[in-house]
Structures are given as C-alpha cells and as structure tokens.
Amino acid sequence: MCAFFRPAARHLGARAVGLSRGTLTPLLAPMACRTFASAALKVAVLQPQQITKADAVATLTCRGFDVDWALDGASDAWAIVTVTNPITEAVLDKHPNCKLVAVSFTGFNHVDLEACKKRGIAVVNVPAYSTDSVAELSIGLTFAVLREIPAGERTLRKGLWAHSDGGTELRNKVVGIVGLGDIGLATARLFKAFGPSELLGWSRREKEAFTAAPISGKHASLEDIFSRADVVSIHVALNAETLGFINRSLLERLRPTAVLINVARGGVIDQAAMAELLSARRFRAGLDVFQPEPVPADDPIMSVPADQVVLTPHVAYKTVEALQRRMVITADNLRLYADGNPRNVVLGA
C-alpha cells in the first residue's frame, strides 16, 4: 500500500487543511507506492469522484490497480466504482467480469443487491468518511437559523441595516439528537461545547457513549424530544423502518421557537407536512436534504417563507477533506478485498 496512505483515514482531513482546494495535497499524493508481482487488477470508475480525475486515478494506481475511466462505457474490469449512480442489472451486463462493486459513498440503496448476489458480486461502501463534515454543518445550520445569518445578509444586500429584534443564543437551550450513530455522537459533542442546559438523545438502543462524559446526555423518547427541545437535529439512516418516521404528529409537538435540523436524509421526514407547518410558522428549520433530490422548483418546501427555513443543496458531506478521505477509503477497500482481507462489506460474494 502507498506509504503516504498509511495514517488512519480519519486523520487525513486535518493534514490537508489550509492547502489548495480541488486537488489532493502533497501529503495525500501518491509517492512511494507498493510494487505488485502479479498483473494489476482492472478497476472501472463509472462516475466522477468529486475530486480531480488525475487524483482519483493516482489514488487507485498507487494501490496497484489498472484504472479504466469507463463512466457510461463497458469494461472487462474486476471491480467497478460508483458514488450515487445506480448499479442495475443493465449496468452489470456491461461489466461481465465484475466481482466487486465499490460504492464511494455511505448509502448503497442505489445498488441492486439482489442482482449482485445472483452474480456472486460483493459490495463494499465507505461508512464514515464525512462524520465531522456532517456534524459541523448541523451546527452551522443551527446558528444560521438562530442568529438569522442568511436573513441578515439579505437585509444588507437590500441596502438596509436594521434587520430584526435579535437572534437567539444556543447556550442554556435544550438540544435533542435523533440518531446516536457516529454522526449523531459527533454532533452531540459539538453541541456540548456551546453549553446546552440539557442534551437529549434518541436511539433504538441506548448508547453509553452518549450518557458518559464528555457528552453526559440523557436518553429520551421521540415525543419528549420534540416536545421539549429548542433544537432537534436528525441523524438517522434512511431505510424501510425510518422512511417518514418523523411524522406530522411529532412535528406538531415543536414550539414556534424550536429549530429542526436535518442533515440525514430527506425521506426520514414527512416533507409535505413539514412544509405546511413551516409555512404556518409552527417552528423553524435548517435543511440540507430533501425528498426527492434535486428539489423540484414547485415543491412546497421551496415556498416556505425564507425567514422560516435555511436551505442548502445536500452539501453536509461535501468538504474537500471528506471527498479526499472518501477516495482513499474506497481505494483501500478495493486493495484489501483483492488481498483477501475485506472490510466495509455490505454484501458478501
């Protein structure tokens, strides 16, 4: 494995801070790469990796792979790499030698697992590349709403100065975290730094890491969180059990001063009910995810008054550091699978 990729993936982002955007930094660029005695396995990249093509190819070749930038084309590759493009029967037909689908993303519901299973194709993903990035945007959206940052800018651009009677402090407020996986816990740690009066958390299973120091949170029911919290931040995966599980009944428990943050998946919230209640000024929100995406121009969420909601176009995961980290982990997943030491497997062959 390339010597410069040996540090744990979670530390790579910090090493890149302050250097140029859009390309891998010198510390991440492949240099002393491992030599392989056998012929290189071919990997077909079916979708741009949101870093430069040169950096993506270099990251893979550093680990001993022959790279085919296939995109929509066919290949004889041993493995294929996607981000969010669907992997269907038709796609797999174009790559008859494929033994592994490497998803350069956390979610993998766009991969036809049954089709892969029938063909004996394994699937791997990247489960934790953007934990810090997503947690940070949760805090950012919270302050954008509480301190009326976008609205303040709009006031200035109109040539005005006085904006409102004032924003709201986060300190001494009740914060609720829905979903206590890695991202939920990272978000809780960040909120803790701002001195909430109470940190409430919900998970299907109680998490000791949430109740122990330094978070020192308290497990609570969804009903309790939505009734009591000043800020509710959503961090649950989208699956059959969570589809629409933040429903109208829960949303109606929020107070007009409460703020709902969603950086998870749009489908976990009843978006139609949320748009209606936001327009009725029943609460405020900061939203990075929607159902569907991209959001249609005529979706009711786009008609919510701007002072009730701050919208961003699914960018929580999208930092230079996270995208670099994602490519590194994807390449490592491929190399480890080829070497017989698979990790991050969501479907075995």
Side-chain angles (χ1 to χ4, degrees):
M1 192 173 294
C2 177
F4 271 52
F5 288 90
R6 286 179 184 165
R10 71 178 60 189
H11 301 304
L12 289 172
R15 302 179 67 185
V17 170
L19 295 168
S20 62
R21 295 176 65 90
T23 59
L24 290 176
T25 70
L27 284 175
L28 295 179
M31 291 182 66
C33 292
R34 179 175 163 188
T35 301
F36 296 86
S38 58
L41 291 168
K42 183 180 288 187
V43 172
V45 179
L46 307 189
Q47 184 178 3
Q49 298 295 298
Q50 297 181 288
I51 60 176
T52 69
K53 176 181 176 181
D55 288 333
V57 171
T59 306
L60 292 165
T61 56
C62 183
R63 284 159 178 76
F65 295 112
D66 179 14
V67 180
D68 181 356
W69 201 261
L71 300 186
D72 292 331
S75 82
D76 59 352
W78 163 79
I80 58 177
V81 179
T82 188
V83 183
T84 56
N85 281 1
I87 301 299
T88 62
E89 289 268 15
V91 172
L92 294 174
D93 285 342
K94 295 181 179 180
H95 309 277
N97 295 337
C98 178
K99 300 299 179 186
L100 177 66
V101 173
V103 181
S104 191
F105 202 63
T106 301
F108 51 90
N109 57 313
H110 52 293
V111 178
D112 187 335
L113 296 181
E114 282 301 315
C116 289
K117 186 175 180 179
K118 284 192 301 183
R119 298 168 185 243
I121 297 172
V123 180
V124 294
N125 75 331
V126 183
Y129 71 94
S130 61
T131 298
D132 293 335
S133 299
V134 176
E136 288 175 7
L137 189 67
S138 180
I139 300 296
L141 285 172
T142 299
F143 279 115
V145 176
L146 289 179
R147 300 307 306 271
E148 305 172 345
I149 296 171
E153 182 187 14
R154 289 193 296 270
T155 295
L156 283 176
R157 290 186 181 278
K158 291 176 183 177
L160 304 174
W161 186 254
H163 168 63
S164 73
D165 293 334
T168 305
E169 291 183 349
L170 179 56
R171 187 172 180 81
N172 291 324
K173 300 301 187 293
V174 177
V175 174
I177 308 292
V178 177
L180 299 177
D182 289 343
I183 295 175
L185 291 173
T187 304
R189 284 190 287 270
L190 293 180
F191 271 117
K192 182 70 173 181
F194 293 96
S197 62
E198 198 170 6
L199 260 176
L200 304 178
W202 176 89
S203 181
R204 294 190 187 281
R205 293 184 299 276
E206 293 194 355
K207 300 292 182 71
E208 184 179 352
F210 181 71
T211 56
I215 297 176
S216 302
K218 175 185 176 183
H219 289 105
S221 68
L222 286 171
E223 291 75 14
D224 194 27
I225 289 173
F226 276 79
S227 296
R228 296 182 51 210
D230 298 291
V231 177
V232 178
S233 193
I234 309 298
H235 302 282
V236 294
L238 177 61
N239 53 46
E241 294 181 349
T242 62
L243 180 64
F245 95 127
I246 304 298
N247 55 31
R248 176 181 289 273
S249 176
L250 287 172
L251 295 171
E252 288 177 342
R253 290 174 178 267
L254 293 168
R255 290 166 286 112
T257 56
V259 176
L260 176 68
I261 303 296
N262 190 12
V263 292
R265 289 291 184 271
V268 303
I269 297 180
D270 181 340
Q271 186 164 295
M274 177 173 61
E276 178 186 329
L277 293 168
L278 283 169
S279 294
R281 302 186 180 277
R282 294 286 297 271
F283 56 90
R284 292 177 292 170
L287 307 173
D288 184 56
V289 289
F290 309 91
Q291 182 63 37
E293 293 180 354
V295 187
D298 61 351
D299 191 288
I301 200 70
M302 302 302 292
S303 299
V304 174
D307 61 342
Q308 285 297 113
V309 64
V310 174
L311 306 174
T312 52
H314 200 158
V315 296
Y317 74 96
K318 198 175 183 180
T319 61
V320 171
E321 296 86 355
L323 296 177
Q324 291 174 347
R325 189 181 301 122
R326 186 177 77 183
M327 189 70 245
V328 168
I329 298 171
T330 299
D332 281 344
N333 284 346
L334 288 159
R335 185 70 261 165
L336 289 168
Y337 193 90
D339 290 345
N341 301 302
R343 71 170 185 186
N344 298 327
V345 177
V346 296
L347 177 67

